[in-house]
């Protein structure tokens, strides 16, 4: 032991601990990370046809697509390219349930973008399913979980 009495006293003291009485270190930071991680997820939503009627929009890298779901079961779809050129489609729509989740089924819709967010080369009208999900508290019509879906607005 050192001969200096000051050093003896400090070494004899019990070390200060940041651990609570339970013996585990408080990890309060985990809760906010958990909340953020799960709030960013798309949560499947069960919506009625009346909830889905209205104007929807998605911004692609190549232009803005508007989808107008009408109360009579028809829809209008318009893509306005960044160059100003527009393409239009119309058809019928309905809502179906898939494992408790609402799916908007479009008949005679054009899928303007490919799965990678680029303009599609095939612009043939066909059937298209959009899943109703809630992302950050907003109702979204999702066509690809990796890309932004349709949200309300013009």
């Amino acid at each position: 032991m050192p001969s200096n009495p000051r050093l003896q006293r400090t070494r004899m003291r019990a070390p200060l601990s940041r651990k609570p009485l339970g013996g585990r270190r408080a990890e309060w930071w985990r809760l906010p990370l958990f909340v953020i991680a799960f709030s960013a997820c798309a949560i499947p939503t069960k919506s009625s046809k009346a909830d889905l009627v209205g104007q929807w929009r998605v911004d692609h890298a190549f232009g803005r697509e508007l989808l107008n779901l009408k109360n009579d079961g028809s829809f209008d779809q318009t893509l306005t390219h960044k160059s100003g050129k527009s393409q239009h489609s119309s058809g019928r729509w309905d809502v179906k349930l898939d494992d408790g989740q609402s799916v908007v089924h479009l008949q005679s819709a054009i899928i303007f973008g490919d799965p990678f967010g680029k303009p599609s080369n095939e612009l043939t009208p066909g059937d298209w399913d959009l899943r109703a999900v809630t992302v950050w508290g907003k109702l979204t019509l999702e066509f690809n979980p990796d890309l932004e879906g349709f949200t309300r607005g013009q």
Side-chain angles (χ1 to χ4, degrees), residues 18-46:
R18 294 181 184 199
K19 294 181 182 178
L21 293 176
R24 289 194 50 166
R25 191 168 196 186
E27 296 180 3
W28 57 269
W29 56 270
R30 285 187 181 183
L31 180 62
L33 285 178
F34 179 78
V35 170
I36 289 170
F38 281 98
S39 64
C41 295
I43 301 168
T45 305
K46 187 175 180 181

Side-chain angles (χ1 to χ4, degrees), residues 122-149:
E122 186 179 327
L123 299 176
T124 307
D127 290 355
W128 194 21
D129 287 338
L130 306 171
R131 297 192 164 279
V133 296
T134 302
V135 179
W136 294 105
K138 290 169 106 178
L139 184 59
T140 302
L141 299 179
E142 179 180 82
F143 51 88
N144 181 337
D146 296 329
L147 299 174
E148 181 183 344

Side-chain angles (χ1 to χ4, degrees), residues 90-107:
S90 60
R92 306 284 308 157
W93 75 282
D94 202 2
V95 179
K96 59 184 181 178
L97 286 179
D98 183 19
D99 290 330
Q101 179 182 13
S102 295
V103 176
V104 176
H105 180 73
L106 303 175
Q107 298 171 356

Side-chain angles (χ1 to χ4, degrees), residues 67-136:
L67 177 65
N68 186 17
L69 301 177
K70 298 178 184 175
N71 205 20
D72 65 358
S74 64
F75 74 87
D76 291 319
Q77 178 186 19
T78 304
L79 173 70
T80 304
H81 293 270
K82 292 205 174 197
S83 65
K85 177 185 165 192
S86 291
Q87 291 177 280
H88 182 76
S89 176
S90 60
R92 306 284 308 157
W93 75 282
D94 202 2
V95 179
K96 59 184 181 178
L97 286 179
D98 183 19
D99 290 330
Q101 179 182 13
S102 295
V103 176
V104 176
H105 180 73
L106 303 175
Q107 298 171 356
S108 299
I110 295 177
I111 300 174
F112 292 111
D114 70 9
F116 304 104
K118 306 280 188 217
S120 178
N121 293 330
E122 186 179 327
L123 299 176
T124 307
D127 290 355
W128 194 21
D129 287 338
L130 306 171
R131 297 192 164 279
V133 296
T134 302
V135 179
W136 294 105

